[in-house]
Amino acid sequence: METSASKRESAFFFECPLPLRDYPTVTLGHGSGGRLSADLVEHLFLPAFDNAALRARGDGAVISIADMRLAISTDSFVVRPLFFPGGNIGELAVNGTVNDLAMCGAVPLHLSASFILEEGFELAQLNAIAHAMGEAAARAGVSIVTGDTKVVEKGHGDGVFINTTGIGVIPAGVHLAAERVRTGDVVLLSGTIGDHGMAIMSVREGLAFEAPIQSDTAPLHTLVQALLHLNAEAVHLMRDPTRGGVAAALNEIAQQARVGIVLDERAIPVRPAVSAACEMLGLDPLYVANEGKLIAIVAREHAEAMLAALRAHPLGEAAAIIGEVTDQHPGLVAMRTRIGATRVVPMPQGELLPRIC
Amino acid sequence: METSASKRESAFFFECPLPLRDYPTVTLGHGSGGRLSADLVEHLFLPAFDNAALRARGDGAVISIADMRLAISTDSFVVRPLFFPGGNIGELAVNGTVNDLAMCGAVPLHLSASFILEEGFELAQLNAIAHAMGEAAARAGVSIVTGDTKVVEKGHGDGVFINTTGIGVIPAGVHLAAERVRTGDVVLLSGTIGDHGMAIMSVREGLAFEAPIQSDTAPLHTLVQALLHLNAEAVHLMRDPTRGGVAAALNEIAQQARVGIVLDERAIPVRPAVSAACEMLGLDPLYVANEGKLIAIVAREHAEAMLAALRAHPLGEAAAIIGEVTDQHPGLVAMRTRIGATRVVPMPQGELLPRIC
């Protein structure tokens, strides 16, 4: 016992708080968007890169240059399979970064695209992916202005990995931040949950439904603009619930804003096919990734108007008020269940759905 | 014959000019920075993403937001080994993007960092890499403001791949562009060539020298500022000769500016150890990657002053005038050799040194 403990100690030439010491090597859970991902950011990357923009830990960073506020966001995409019902890795890579910029309140403008290709990958597939990216960029009103391509030997990559990084401008009057969230605020969700994750999982697991589950991948910038145009001041924070699902996104908000959140299970929209697939695989839709949904924390007095604005948008037809911010249990997310009980919705710990984006 | 030809045709559901049709799948050469990389950009990515900023094909893109000119550049790093004499993948990832911004004439400001980790990679190594990135960022005066981490299963990646994307501001009066290159301009090189590539190769090939060859990885933004402060107008174009070396960088310039370039072999500085290692491995240092060198195309009447400015900088002590721009043989690079002959220096075709950055 003692030998193995001291051996593990010596492998760690860095000082780290307890959470990381439990894992001397990278696990799939470190890419989950849940607790282990957060540990990696908090205990490894933040100390190494320390600066104020990074510490704010939004979906992107907000920086000021001259008198402009810009949002910058980056994401690498490793989804498997590359093509899935409702989309492909290229479309996902564009929409994902567009959405992270939109969650900062920014109007997305420009993207970079960087490819890590595996030797032997078909150029025809790469071309299809590149065209899907071009089309997604056109739909989102952004241009892909610069790029890079690297190739690794067969067996050292996996077909194609794509990084997109984007910048956008945050209009005056828009200020989304965890510290703006307050007791009594309302939690809006723009539509059904779990569609993206279960589209991927049903392909991987060979689940057959009458109509296949489609990914919800979509650019959310116009949905965001609809809310901000209504009343920018009343929108306090936005997140898109991707990896780790609604549960991870709301736990992050609760922790960063130091508030409690209470959800109403009956109010959370889930498609029957997604619900069925989740049941078959033993998954909770609250933890399943979305790629075309947003959560907005808004001032109570404007919540109904905001809900109406979401529902008037093609991407927000199934929008709902799913909960509220409370001064009880700060840092925790709770849920009133269908049967009237209340349970905690914890931050996801491990990794149930690897390589979902 | 006919069957296999038609089979190959049908696999290509995209229209592409001849060069790409020779390769139905990705080869290591597509990541070389040479002819095949250029084909991929020209015949696959440009048609898919088409826009003016991308067509300019600099080391980064130049975009305008309000009345500001910003440079954006992205690079993914897949270098092997991760730690090498003179640096590591983290330091390289920061310096590489800082340098691409600097080559646009920009003052680098902010970086994003995105990691694709392989399951089982040691967190202690990741920590060392992250700290090297933090230190490199501090040296270059940039902050790493946002990031992302993905994890792929063991055997589907290779330890760690890093993407960095950066933005910087281009000061008024700085205008670096291929169309500004003209006959009579002088080609400056900031120091010895081939150090980075041969540092990597000598580790991989187990070559032993009295003193190991060190990578030249370094941030070039202050060297660039030294030239621009002297006379921004007189600096017409800059490139850092990374993948594909000085040969690829100058061929790109000759093609984009539609000019000829003539080099003087005797003027090109190469360290004896690099020269010896190249000879052992049958490589030409002109084609070997550098990570801390720049090429500047400057107006002839300012060339001597610019050379002096480079030499006064710690990163430019071995700077030299290595050639000139001519109206002969537009699109081609030629070299007057040590023995007085003239030979063409072609664009590299395949891939001699995979995963050098």
Side-chain angles (χ1 to χ4, degrees):
Chain A
M1 274 291 273
E2 246 187 88
T3 317
S4 97
S6 77
K7 215 167 154 188
R8 214 168 102 189
E9 288 290 320
S10 73
F12 274 75
F13 55 88
F14 63 106
E15 291 296 316
C16 71
L18 281 172
L20 281 185
R21 289 190 182 258
D22 296 341
Y23 296 87
T25 62
V26 171
T27 67
L28 288 174
H30 285 111
S32 66
R35 165 56 45 211
L36 289 176
S37 297
D39 283 345
L40 206 56
V41 171
E42 190 174 341
H43 301 300
L44 197 149
F45 291 123
L46 265 180
F49 302 160
D50 193 44
N51 61 73
L54 190 61
R55 272 193 306 273
R57 278 189 267 180
D59 279 348
V62 177
I63 55 161
S64 292
I65 300 183
D67 56 351
M68 269 193 323
R69 283 185 307 151
L70 297 178
I72 308 184
S73 186
T74 190
D75 250 321
S76 287
F77 293 83
V78 301
V79 64
R80 281 207 312 182
L82 298 174
F83 295 80
F84 46 80
N88 61 59
I89 189 173
E91 199 179 338
L92 201 64
V94 170
N95 289 342
T97 291
V98 163
N99 290 349
D100 284 343
L101 295 172
M103 293 309 115
C104 299
V107 178
L109 293 177
H110 300 290
L111 299 188
S112 64
S114 180
F115 299 82
I116 299 175
L117 305 173
E118 186 187 8
E119 185 185 14
F121 186 62
E122 274 194 27
L123 281 180
Q125 280 205 58
L126 182 62
N127 189 62
I129 290 165
H131 275 86
M133 293 179 76
E135 286 154 22
R139 271 197 300 279
V142 299
S143 44
I144 299 172
V145 292
T146 190
D148 179 49
T149 308
K150 292 292 182 336
V151 179
V152 295
E153 306 87 343
K154 207 168 173 61
H156 292 266
D158 199 359
V160 56
F161 300 142
I162 304 177
N163 175 280
T164 50
T165 304
I167 69 166
V169 172
I170 302 176
V174 174
H175 185 60
L176 306 175
E179 57 266 29
R180 294 201 58 223
V181 174
R182 59 209 58 201
T183 299
D185 278 358
V186 165
V187 181
L188 289 174
L189 173 67
S190 68
T192 58
I193 64 170
D195 300 72
H196 176 72
M198 295 324 293
I200 301 281
M201 288 309 285
S202 45
V203 175
R204 284 200 212 147
E205 303 286 330
L207 302 184
F209 298 92
E210 270 180 43
I213 301 173
Q214 301 275 323
S215 167
D216 59 345
T217 180
L220 295 170
H221 62 303
T222 55
L223 200 57
V224 168
Q225 295 309 317
L227 292 185
L228 294 176
H229 276 132
L230 204 60
N231 188 327
E233 186 62 25
V235 184
H236 295 163
L237 189 66
M238 288 190 288
R239 283 287 156 83
D240 58 338
T242 55
R243 278 185 293 179
V246 166
L250 288 179
N251 269 280
E252 267 180 42
I253 293 173
Q255 286 164 25
Q256 287 173 24
R258 297 196 183 85
V259 296
I261 292 175
V262 183
L263 299 177
D264 177 1
E265 187 174 19
R266 290 164 310 176
I268 301 171
V270 189
R271 280 182 215 282
V274 169
S275 207
C278 279
E279 213 154 290
M280 271 186 230
L281 298 174
L283 298 169
D284 181 340
L286 275 177
Y287 290 86
V288 178
N290 312 278
E291 292 289 343
K293 298 296 162 9
L294 65 82
I295 289 169
I297 312 288
V298 305
R300 176 169 294 271
E301 60 272 28
H302 297 282
E304 286 296 337
M306 297 261 170
L307 178 62
L310 288 177
R311 286 187 172 164
H313 190 287
L315 291 174
E317 286 168 4
I321 291 176
I322 63 163
E324 59 182 358
V325 175
T326 169
D327 56 3
Q328 306 297 303
H329 53 78
L332 287 183
V333 179
M335 184 160 76
R336 286 188 295 268
T337 66
R338 282 175 209 284
I339 56 164
T342 298
R343 69 169 178 93
V344 170
V345 177
M347 186 73 154
Q349 298 294 322
E351 175 59 302
L352 296 170
L353 307 172
R355 299 184 61 182
I356 214 78
C357 61
Chain B
M1 274 291 275
E2 247 186 87
T3 317
S4 97
S6 76
K7 216 166 151 189
R8 214 169 101 189
E9 287 290 319
S10 72
F12 273 76
F13 53 87
F14 64 105
E15 292 295 316
C16 72
L18 281 172
L20 282 185
R21 289 192 182 259
D22 297 342
Y23 296 88
T25 62
V26 171
T27 66
L28 288 174
H30 286 111
S32 66
R35 166 55 47 209
L36 289 177
S37 296
D39 283 346
L40 207 55
V41 171
E42 189 173 343
H43 301 300
L44 196 149
F45 291 122
L46 266 181
F49 302 159
D50 194 43
N51 62 72
L54 191 62
R55 274 194 304 275
R57 276 189 268 182
D59 280 347
V62 177
I63 54 161
S64 292
I65 299 184
D67 56 349
M68 267 192 327
R69 284 185 307 152
L70 297 178
I72 307 184
S73 186
T74 191
D75 249 322
S76 287
F77 293 83
V78 300
V79 65
R80 281 207 312 183
L82 298 174
F83 295 80
F84 46 79
N88 61 59
I89 188 172
E91 198 180 339
L92 201 64
V94 170
N95 289 342
T97 291
V98 162
N99 290 348
D100 284 343
L101 294 173
M103 294 307 116
C104 299
V107 179
L109 292 178
H110 300 290
L111 299 188
S112 64
S114 181
F115 299 82
I116 298 175
L117 305 174
E118 185 187 10
E119 185 186 13
F121 186 61
E122 274 193 26
L123 281 179
Q125 279 204 59
L126 181 61
N127 189 62
I129 290 165
H131 274 86
M133 293 178 77
E135 287 155 21
R139 270 197 299 279
V142 298
S143 44
I144 299 172
V145 292
T146 191
D148 178 48
T149 308
K150 292 291 184 335
V151 179
V152 296
E153 307 87 342
K154 206 167 172 63
H156 292 265
D158 200 359
V160 55
F161 300 142
I162 303 177
N163 176 278
T164 50
T165 305
I167 69 166
V169 172
I170 303 176
V174 173
H175 186 59
L176 306 175
E179 57 266 29
R180 294 200 60 222
V181 174
R182 57 211 56 201
T183 299
D185 278 358
V186 165
V187 181
L188 289 175
L189 173 68
S190 67
T192 57
I193 65 170
D195 299 72
H196 176 71
M198 295 323 293
I200 301 281
M201 289 309 285
S202 44
V203 175
R204 284 201 212 148
E205 302 287 329
L207 302 184
F209 297 93
E210 269 181 46
I213 301 173
Q214 301 275 324
S215 167
D216 59 347
T217 181
L220 295 171
H221 61 302
T222 55
L223 199 58
V224 166
Q225 295 309 319
L227 292 184
L228 294 175
H229 276 134
L230 203 61
N231 188 327
E233 186 62 27
V235 183
H236 295 162
L237 189 66
M238 286 192 288
R239 283 287 157 83
D240 58 338
T242 54
R243 277 185 293 178
V246 166
L250 289 178
N251 269 280
E252 268 180 43
I253 294 172
Q255 285 164 26
Q256 287 173 22
R258 298 197 182 84
V259 296
I261 292 175
V262 185
L263 299 178
D264 177 0
E265 187 173 21
R266 291 164 309 176
I268 299 171
V270 189
R271 281 182 214 281
V274 169
S275 207
C278 279
E279 213 154 289
M280 271 184 228
L281 299 174
L283 297 170
D284 180 340
L286 275 178
Y287 290 85
V288 177
N290 311 277
E291 292 288 343
K293 298 295 161 16
L294 66 81
I295 290 169
I297 313 289
V298 304
R300 174 168 295 272
E301 59 273 31
H302 298 282
E304 285 297 338
M306 297 262 171
L307 178 63
L310 287 177
R311 286 187 172 164
H313 190 288
L315 291 174
E317 286 168 3
I321 291 175
I322 63 162
E324 61 183 357
V325 175
T326 169
D327 55 3
Q328 306 296 301
H329 53 78
L332 287 183
V333 179
M335 185 161 75
R336 285 188 296 266
T337 65
R338 282 175 209 285
I339 57 166
T342 297
R343 69 169 177 93
V344 170
V345 177
M347 187 72 154
Q349 298 293 322
E351 176 58 303
L352 295 170
L353 306 173
R355 300 184 59 181
I356 215 77
C357 62

